[in-house]
Amino acid sequence: MDQTAILERLQAAFGDQIGDWHEMKGSAYATKFGSYLDVKNVDYLRDVCLYMRDQPELQFDNLMLLSTVDNGDKTLSAVYHLESTILRHIFALKVTVSVDLARVPSVTNIWTSANWHEREGWDMMGIEFVGHPDLRRILLDEDYPGHPLRKDFKTPEYYHGMKVPY
Amino acid sequence: MGLLDKLDTPMESGNVLITGMETLFNWARLSSLWQMGFGLACCAIEMMAASASHYDMMRFGVIPRPSPRQSDIMIISGTVTLKMASRVKILYEQMPDPKYIISMGSCSNCGGPYWEHGYHVLKGVDRVIPVDVYVPGCPPRPEALLEGLMKLQEKVRKQSLSHA
């Protein structure tokens, strides 16, 4: 199924809760992997995901990648690249939340592979994935100050008595 | 005739060497610098290559040991992250004296490519433990590591047992 057909099904099922389709211009590869659908209402993210996994004509059984973005305008985004290994099609979702209330529902119990990706999203970008079974930092120490991939992150002068800047 | 008989005429038999105690001890120490089996990043791959048959670091008496208690040298081979730095320090403190550190590669010397944006990288392992020999390179070739090891051996050879 091509991405337009998938988009029409999602629009029919969720109406106003999902937002615009952003198609990336360029090569066929760029369009396939760079286009995404905004999920406007973040509370509906899990419903959309469950729908996409369980509908017989969609069957998105694989979360290829969960990445996070700091948009630089006091908003953070989480991007979900989904694939159906059975029907051989892919689709991307994006949710955007405010920096001050960076809470996104976890999809770990929909796709287990989201577990470590969400921990990385928490570690690097400080997005709290609500409902995650074990939301600890995955790379940095537990007591590290801040989330380093945020645009407003400042490298600490000292960490445990060790000077950090060059 | 046994060896003991020859002790009466040591100079003639050719079986006894006379040397200074310091020279003997230093020679023994520099010829068996047991290494802590410990690697941090891509430099560790080159360190393993130096230990393997082509470069054969063991011909210098460098044997990897599984415990800091049995080690004489630690080769800091790779990026020292802030998370790892405290562990490196603990391992260093667990090693018995006399102990030596070879800092291998740019990351461990000065932070390497992470010097500016490395929010998680210690900019040089000498900020937490003393370093005897710095081996430059990214990563250094096994020959470079062997040269660093020989520099360390020269240092050990010149050391004094009576005063530090």
Side-chain angles (χ1 to χ4, degrees):
Chain A
M1 194 182 287
D2 66 1
Q3 295 190 333
T4 328
I6 298 168
L7 177 66
E8 279 165 9
R9 279 177 189 279
L10 290 175
Q11 279 168 339
F14 292 98
D16 289 343
Q17 309 304 335
I18 53 177
D20 296 331
W21 170 249
H22 296 262
E23 189 175 278
M24 181 175 270
K25 301 281 181 272
S27 65
Y29 183 88
T31 309
K32 187 178 180 192
F33 288 95
S35 308
Y36 63 89
L37 172 70
D38 259 324
V39 179
K40 203 162 51 180
N41 189 341
V42 69
D43 297 329
Y44 273 76
L45 176 70
R46 279 181 54 84
D47 295 337
V48 175
C49 288
L50 276 171
Y51 180 84
M52 291 175 78
R53 188 190 68 177
D54 293 337
Q55 282 293 304
E57 65 272 30
L58 297 178
Q59 294 192 62
F60 283 97
D61 56 345
N62 181 23
L63 174 68
M64 291 193 292
L65 176 67
L66 195 170
S67 44
T68 52
V69 188
D70 187 337
N71 300 305
D73 56 357
K74 298 277 175 198
T75 59
L76 306 173
S77 296
V79 185
Y80 302 77
H81 276 92
L82 306 172
E83 180 200 24
S84 170
T85 57
I86 303 149
L87 303 173
R88 312 295 297 167
H89 52 222
I90 73 152
F91 200 77
L93 300 174
K94 188 170 183 176
V95 288
T96 301
V97 291
S98 148
V99 169
D100 305 318
L101 198 69
R103 289 158 70 90
V104 173
S106 168
V107 295
T108 298
N109 55 7
I110 302 176
W111 298 287
T112 313
S113 62
N115 190 317
W116 282 17
H117 287 154
E118 288 182 346
R119 282 180 62 189
E120 191 188 0
W122 161 247
D123 191 356
M124 293 290 136
M125 204 63 83
I127 296 179
E128 186 186 343
F129 289 92
V130 182
H132 189 284
D134 182 27
L135 196 64
R136 287 176 294 135
R137 285 182 185 271
I138 192 167
L139 297 166
L140 294 165
D141 251 340
E142 276 300 315
D143 60 352
Y144 191 83
H147 301 282
L149 294 195
R150 284 213 185 164
K151 299 278 188 202
D152 59 358
F153 175 77
K154 293 272 185 295
T155 307
E157 279 295 310
Y158 284 90
Y159 177 76
H160 285 209
M162 297 174 283
K163 188 166 170 256
V164 181
Y166 184 72
Chain B
M1 288 289 125
L3 187 66
L4 282 177
D5 296 327
K6 293 182 178 172
L7 279 177
D8 298 331
T9 52
M11 295 306 182
E12 290 157 29
S13 60
N15 276 325
V16 176
L17 290 172
I18 297 180
T19 179
M21 190 179 73
E22 238 166 42
T23 317
L24 177 70
F25 271 46
N26 285 342
W27 171 73
R29 289 196 303 129
L30 71 87
S31 308
S32 62
L33 288 170
W34 287 4
Q35 170 210 353
M36 216 178 94
F38 168 71
L40 288 180
C42 28
C43 282
I45 306 292
E46 295 296 301
M47 186 182 73
M48 288 178 241
S51 299
S53 50
H54 269 260
Y55 296 95
D56 192 17
M57 198 151 63
M58 211 179 265
R59 68 198 147 116
F60 295 100
V62 179
I63 306 174
R65 303 304 301 173
S67 158
R69 306 285 187 202
Q70 304 173 350
S71 309
D72 302 299
I73 61 169
M74 177 155 63
I75 300 176
I76 310 293
S77 53
T79 316
V80 185
T81 58
L82 294 172
K83 196 174 178 178
M84 196 66 200
S86 51
R87 278 80 167 169
V88 169
K89 194 175 176 191
I90 289 171
L91 287 171
Y92 176 76
E93 284 162 357
Q94 284 175 337
M95 286 166 66
D97 276 321
K99 51 194 170 185
Y100 304 95
I101 302 293
I102 296 178
S103 166
M104 179 184 182
S106 295
C107 291
S108 147
N109 290 346
C110 62
Y114 309 100
W115 71 278
E116 190 173 11
H117 299 296
Y119 54 85
H120 62 304
V121 175
L122 188 70
K123 312 299 184 304
V125 74
D126 50 7
R127 291 188 181 186
V128 288
I129 55 174
V131 174
D132 294 282
V133 177
Y134 296 86
V135 180
C138 187
R141 283 192 56 86
E143 295 96 320
L145 180 61
L146 292 182
E147 170 150 18
L149 183 74
M150 285 152 76
K151 291 276 182 217
L152 180 63
Q153 289 185 326
E154 286 312 305
K155 180 174 179 171
V156 176
R157 197 190 296 278
K158 287 177 196 144
Q159 280 190 324
S160 166
L161 297 178
S162 48
H163 39 83

